[in-house]
Amino acid sequence: MTAVADTPQHRRALRSTAKVLPEHARASNRSMVLQLLFHAGPRSRAELARATGLTRVTISDLVSSLLAQGLVTELGQQADGKVGKPGTLVGLDAEAFQIVAVDLADDERVHGAVLDLSGAVQERRTAAVGGCTGAAAVEVLLGLCRELVAATTRPVLGVGVGSPGVIDLSGRVLQAPNRGWYDLPLAEQLSAALELPVHVANDADTAALGEFTWGGASGNGLLVLTVGGGVGAGIVLDGALVQGNEHAAGELGHVTALDERDEHDQAPLGRPQPCACGRRGCLETVLSVPAMRRRIAGLDPAATDAALASVGRRLGIVLAPVVSALNLSEVVLCGPEELLGGPLRDAALATLRERTIPVVSSHVQLRMTSLGEHGALSGAAVLVLSGQLGVT
Amino acid sequence: MTAVADTPQHRRALRSTAKVLPEHARASNRSMVLQLLFHAGPRSRAELARATGLTRVTISDLVSSLLAQGLVTELGQQADGKVGKPGTLVGLDAEAFQIVAVDLADDERVHGAVLDLSGAVQERRTAAVGGCTGAAAVEVLLGLCRELVAATTRPVLGVGVGSPGVIDLSGRVLQAPNRGWYDLPLAEQLSAALELPVHVANDADTAALGEFTWGGASGNGLLVLTVGGGVGAGIVLDGALVQGNEHAAGELGHVTALDERDEHDQAPLGRPQPCACGRRGCLETVLSVPAMRRRIAGLDPAATDAALASVGRRLGIVLAPVVSALNLSEVVLCGPEELLGGPLRDAALATLRERTIPVVSSHVQLRMTSLGEHGALSGAAVLVLSGQLGVT
DNA sequence: AGTTGTTTGTAAGGACGGTTGCCTAACAAA
DNA sequence: TTTGTTAGGCAACCGTCCTTACAAACAACT
């Protein structure tokens, strides 16, 4: 229809650009105010104005619209002993709305929760997958969502879903072998059925978002490694998830981590094992929970520690190039504390530091998640916060 | 002075946010038009409107201001056989302005050039470093800049500099040991002296920008590896350079690539060699130009190929985790063709593909730069295009 | 040749968002 | 009480984009 040819040059030229209207400026400034109230706590209008660089007039206008929507509330006078008129504190009303979050990482049960805007869990529900795949699996998910929405006691801001698989920005599942989903517009379908905004992302990505927002991330550049039945990663740079060319960023589980001839460790991991992907020696074959449990089964404590440390060293070797290339400030491990938290972590960090230049190694952290097993759920909630309010 | 405490939460909250005014929207839309004309060639106003999503009225307004600034020119009627009034083609005037670009990667000579807006080199000059460091090195650079500015025949859009070292977004050189620069506000100093906009970035980063803009990059996610006296990398994701937590992203040269006990290659690289950074087995100790020349000196062609392939395999091993984590679409090598272009590249690509999951490996490219030795210079020019016009 | 329909580019008017300048209220310190 | 400072609101203005309307230029049909 259009006379303009849709050439690759066009798409390239406009890939990361879109028209900007004054109303987008408004939305952006609104997000900035919410972001500030979210992270830094209640503030007076005048303080918001100083912190954002906007004028008091504009902030007043923004705040009044936020008050009208019920997102923020006035919390009374500022009782400092300072000169001048005391300001009126304005704070985010964490209980004004609720978020429905669902985690599909577990193959057996779908885990869901209702959270408030501060990430506090209000309700928790699960549903059995029962081996369902394809459309039936969508039905199970939809059922849990309906149940959770029914359990909310406030208006629902939106629904966030973290799922294994490759998922694009619009919430379309390009492929999720575990569920038998291929090219499925999951967010669109759920949104139509629930009549709510729905955001879907890879579960490692949601875990990374959760860690970024609530895990007390320090610097810039975060990689979250989820260790379960498989191994996945989510990367947050400059406050945004890295998507990758095919939306497959974070596929660290299937990087070769063990070679045929290079194992001379003190607690040898043995020959590279075959992997579900059809190759051998993938990181998943040594770092996944089942693989580690098999390896340490029946070992005495010292041998267990040595075996886990050996796994940690392989992890450190794989992480070193990534951490160097991106100059990450933090690597976070999500998974069973008893496997990951001890010698594995220590060995991985030591190896990572040995193998990177000081300007990188001296700043990088490697730690367990501070969100426990709720990481994926709260991350799915951040998906909604980010999508609906611009807050991360 | 301000009553608002400057807490970490504040900086965190506002890190990737800034107030947005309608004029920023205007600037963004202006950039979008320029971007389209730059990459897709001349268009009529109506076509620009369709491609950008803005109305014809707004485009007319934007185009008229660009015409007034001399950045674009009208190129006559569109002579298609279509119905309706033929449009007036509007095109970027590549010769309306010129760009001064300087490359400091070479320790012996500073290379500079005058380019037009299409990246075509108009003039070329160099200056001897003569072992200068610190302020004296700045003087040499400044002298070359003045010479180049004097050689321009059109108004100068700005000056772009690519330099080794760690450089922040404002063009402050945090550390550049080769030049003896530490915490030096280079862009600011040059800008004050030349009375022109000056943009400074790491040389690997400028090379990556050049490749991204003029190298025919295909997908999303580009890593450019510069191989010279050392090894550096620049990464472009979603059209923007990756900075890193300490602005040290791309420090791949000092990732350990060779271990004490894991070398069983067909053309052994031997024991890990000491590196200038004080550790052993860094990628630089096998992949830098001097290291490779030493290794192949006196070898017959077959042995040379085998040795270079062995280096390539080490490179592939280091790249695999990075390419997987970011799902990169392209890795580009910059450096001597005779060393990098043959068996080394082939072995690196094969190793990279072997060690990554198909969804990643089947899409990734690994090739020599298409910009020859001018990559860094044209990249420095892109720095200016990007900074002044929003075009990449 | 005249009519019709399509497309281009411009003009006028309106909506929206932010700013500056000025005002009043509330408080501490002199 | 006076003075200086800070908070918050009101009015007027400017910039940016939109919608609507219109003239010009052309192809195709009658």
Side-chain angles (χ1 to χ4, degrees):
Chain A
M1 281 304 162
T2 71
V4 181
D6 186 18
T7 67
Q9 285 75 22
H10 269 89
R11 270 174 271 118
R12 157 75 191 284
L14 294 174
R15 186 170 49 206
S16 54
T17 330
K19 74 169 168 177
V20 178
L21 277 56
E23 69 194 78
H24 297 136
R26 177 75 164 186
S28 167
N29 290 334
R30 190 184 99 120
S31 290
M32 185 166 44
V33 170
L34 286 171
Q35 177 93 344
L36 202 56
L37 294 176
F38 184 81
H39 287 291
R43 290 286 184 272
S44 74
R45 291 172 177 80
E47 286 172 331
L48 289 172
R50 281 193 295 268
T52 58
L54 294 163
T55 61
R56 293 200 305 272
V57 181
T58 304
I59 291 295
S60 269
D61 194 40
L62 279 168
V63 166
S64 70
S65 82
L66 291 173
L67 280 169
Q69 293 169 59
L71 271 168
V72 304
T73 47
E74 295 197 331
L75 301 170
Q77 301 294 94
Q78 231 169 353
D80 304 358
K82 293 184 302 186
V83 295
K85 173 180 171 180
T88 317
L89 279 179
V90 174
L92 193 67
D93 185 357
E95 298 176 2
F97 290 85
Q98 290 181 332
I99 297 173
V100 169
V102 180
D103 175 16
L104 298 176
D106 189 337
D107 279 348
E108 311 295 327
R109 298 194 71 79
V110 186
H111 296 263
V114 174
L115 300 90
D116 69 12
L117 297 189
S118 72
V121 173
Q122 311 290 313
E123 278 283 334
R124 213 176 267 286
R125 302 286 164 90
T126 68
V129 176
C132 287
T133 58
V138 175
E139 279 307 313
V140 171
L141 168 59
L142 187 54
L144 181 63
C145 287
R146 287 195 209 278
E147 195 182 330
L148 286 163
V149 168
T152 58
T153 57
R154 300 296 161 92
V156 179
L157 192 63
V159 179
V161 179
S163 166
V166 179
I167 302 172
D168 75 6
L169 283 172
S170 72
R172 173 182 286 265
V173 179
L174 303 182
Q175 45 172 305
N178 291 2
R179 293 283 171 282
W181 290 338
Y182 297 93
D183 209 35
L184 171 75
L186 187 57
E188 191 183 318
Q189 285 188 10
L190 292 179
S191 184
L194 297 169
E195 296 182 330
L196 283 170
V198 178
H199 301 267
V200 183
N202 176 274
D203 57 342
D205 284 348
T206 58
L209 269 188
E211 196 66 39
F212 177 75
T213 301
W214 283 308
S218 47
N220 183 13
L222 166 70
L223 185 149
V224 171
L225 203 73
T226 58
V227 179
V231 173
I235 302 176
V236 178
L237 294 180
D238 297 321
L241 285 170
V242 174
Q243 282 291 317
N245 185 46
E246 308 286 328
H247 305 282
E251 280 297 346
L252 270 183
H254 298 281
V255 173
T256 304
L258 196 57
D259 283 293
E260 203 57 56
R261 291 167 299 197
D262 75 349
E263 183 57 44
H264 295 254
D265 211 329
Q266 56 195 37
L269 294 173
R271 300 281 300 279
Q273 297 299 308
C275 178
C277 73
R279 297 176 304 119
R280 282 179 171 271
C282 291
L283 183 59
E284 233 175 71
T285 64
V286 296
L287 184 63
S288 73
V289 170
M292 286 189 289
R293 292 217 194 282
R294 266 196 308 274
R295 187 172 304 283
I296 65 174
L299 294 182
D300 65 64
T304 297
D305 282 4
L308 291 177
S310 194
V311 172
R313 278 188 286 278
R314 304 320 301 186
L315 174 59
I317 292 173
V318 168
L319 285 177
V322 180
V323 170
S324 291
L326 301 178
N327 187 204
L328 296 177
S329 70
E330 216 162 22
V331 177
V332 171
L333 303 178
C334 294
E337 165 85 33
E338 74 275 15
L339 292 175
L340 304 173
L344 192 154
R345 187 209 81 106
D346 297 341
L349 181 54
T351 304
L352 177 57
R353 291 222 162 114
E354 278 167 18
R355 300 177 77 89
T356 51
I357 195 172
V359 66
V360 171
S361 62
S362 62
H363 292 96
V364 69
Q365 309 282 324
L366 195 157
R367 61 172 175 82
M368 286 297 295
T369 177
S370 53
L371 301 177
E373 51 179 333
H374 313 322
L377 274 182
S378 47
V382 174
L383 215 52
V384 177
L385 279 176
S386 167
Q388 300 302 118
L389 304 180
V391 170
T392 53
Chain B
M1 279 305 160
T2 69
V4 181
D6 185 18
T7 66
Q9 285 74 23
H10 270 88
R11 269 175 270 118
R12 159 74 192 285
L14 294 174
R15 185 170 51 208
S16 54
T17 330
K19 75 169 167 176
V20 178
L21 277 55
E23 68 194 78
H24 297 137
R26 178 74 165 186
S28 167
N29 289 334
R30 193 185 97 119
S31 290
M32 185 167 43
V33 170
L34 287 170
Q35 177 93 343
L36 203 55
L37 294 176
F38 183 81
H39 286 290
R43 299 285 134 146
S44 73
R45 291 171 177 82
E47 286 172 332
L48 288 172
R50 280 192 294 268
T52 59
L54 295 164
T55 61
R56 293 201 307 272
V57 182
T58 304
I59 290 295
S60 267
D61 195 40
L62 279 167
V63 166
S64 70
S65 82
L66 292 173
L67 281 169
Q69 294 170 61
L71 270 168
V72 303
T73 48
E74 296 197 330
L75 301 171
Q77 301 295 94
Q78 232 170 351
D80 304 358
K82 293 184 301 187
V83 295
K85 174 179 171 179
T88 316
L89 280 178
V90 174
L92 193 67
D93 185 356
E95 297 176 0
F97 290 84
Q98 291 181 333
I99 297 173
V100 169
V102 181
D103 176 16
L104 298 175
D106 189 338
D107 279 348
E108 311 294 327
R109 301 194 69 80
V110 186
H111 296 262
V114 176
L115 300 90
D116 69 13
L117 297 189
S118 71
V121 174
Q122 312 291 313
E123 279 283 334
R124 215 177 265 288
R125 303 286 164 91
T126 69
V129 176
C132 287
T133 59
V138 175
E139 280 306 313
V140 171
L141 169 58
L142 187 54
L144 181 63
C145 286
R146 286 196 209 278
E147 196 182 330
L148 286 163
V149 169
T152 57
T153 57
R154 300 295 162 92
V156 179
L157 191 64
V159 179
V161 179
S163 166
V166 179
I167 303 172
D168 76 5
L169 282 172
S170 73
R172 174 182 285 265
V173 179
L174 303 181
Q175 45 171 307
N178 290 2
R179 295 281 171 283
W181 290 338
Y182 296 94
D183 211 34
L184 171 74
L186 187 57
E188 192 183 318
Q189 285 189 10
L190 292 178
S191 185
L194 297 168
E195 296 183 325
L196 285 169
V198 177
H199 302 268
V200 183
N202 177 274
D203 56 341
D205 284 347
T206 59
L209 269 187
E211 196 66 39
F212 177 74
T213 301
W214 282 308
S218 45
N220 184 14
L222 166 71
L223 185 149
V224 172
L225 203 73
T226 59
V227 178
V231 173
I235 302 175
V236 178
L237 294 179
D238 297 320
L241 285 169
V242 174
Q243 282 291 315
N245 186 44
E246 308 286 328
H247 305 283
E251 282 296 344
L252 271 184
H254 298 280
V255 173
T256 303
L258 196 57
D259 284 293
E260 203 56 58
R261 292 167 298 197
D262 74 350
E263 184 55 44
H264 294 255
D265 213 327
Q266 56 195 39
L269 295 172
R271 300 280 302 279
Q273 298 299 307
C275 178
C277 74
R279 297 177 304 118
R280 282 178 171 270
C282 292
L283 184 59
E284 236 177 67
T285 65
V286 296
L287 185 62
S288 73
V289 171
M292 285 189 289
R293 291 216 195 282
R294 266 197 306 275
R295 187 171 306 283
I296 65 173
L299 294 183
D300 65 64
T304 297
D305 282 4
L308 291 177
S310 194
V311 172
R313 279 188 285 277
R314 304 320 300 187
L315 174 59
I317 292 173
V318 169
L319 286 177
V322 179
V323 170
S324 290
L326 301 178
N327 187 204
L328 296 178
S329 69
E330 216 163 21
V331 176
V332 172
L333 304 177
C334 293
E337 165 85 33
E338 75 274 15
L339 292 175
L340 304 174
L344 192 155
R345 186 209 82 105
D346 296 341
L349 180 53
T351 305
L352 176 57
R353 291 223 162 114
E354 277 167 18
R355 299 177 78 90
T356 50
I357 194 172
V359 64
V360 171
S361 62
S362 63
H363 292 95
V364 69
Q365 309 282 325
L366 194 158
R367 60 172 175 84
M368 286 297 296
T369 176
S370 51
L371 301 176
E373 50 179 333
H374 314 322
L377 274 182
S378 48
V382 174
L383 215 52
V384 177
L385 279 176
S386 168
Q388 300 302 119
L389 304 181
V391 169
T392 52

